[in-house]
Amino acid sequence: MNGPEHYVRAEQLLREVRDGHQEGTDVEAIIAAAQVHAALAQAAASALSSPDRGAGSADVRSDRRAWERAAGVQPDPLDEIA
């Protein structure tokens, strides 16, 4: 699972708890799992912001687009030109 996938999974788990789709389950355990996914997503996002990664590389641009999709952010069209 990559960083954006952890982010999306954390949101899914919290949404399911909020919407009551977790009846008969341990809501505290589900919230704890969401927190773990959020922490892993944060770690991945922090790693991507490292200057050692080479800001112009194709891998970094691909990761940034994945984060934008996961967070529901419209990508900057100028990034596609670079």
Side-chain angles (χ1 to χ4, degrees):
M1 198 172 246
N2 63 26
E5 291 167 341
H6 281 293
Y7 177 89
V8 169
R9 184 62 182 143
E11 283 193 330
Q12 288 171 339
L13 289 169
L14 292 173
R15 193 171 23 257
E16 289 174 7
V17 169
R18 180 198 66 201
D19 295 342
H21 297 297
Q22 298 295 334
E23 295 176 19
T25 59
D26 186 353
V27 171
E28 291 173 0
I30 295 167
I31 291 172
Q35 289 174 322
V36 169
H37 282 288
L40 291 169
Q42 178 62 45
S46 295
L48 288 175
S49 67
S50 170
D52 297 337
R53 292 269 317 201
S57 75
D59 288 341
V60 170
R61 286 193 306 272
S62 175
D63 286 345
R64 184 175 52 234
R65 284 192 295 272
W67 276 110
E68 289 168 345
R69 283 190 304 274
V73 175
Q74 292 292 343
D76 185 344
L78 295 177
D79 286 342
E80 298 300 320
I81 297 170

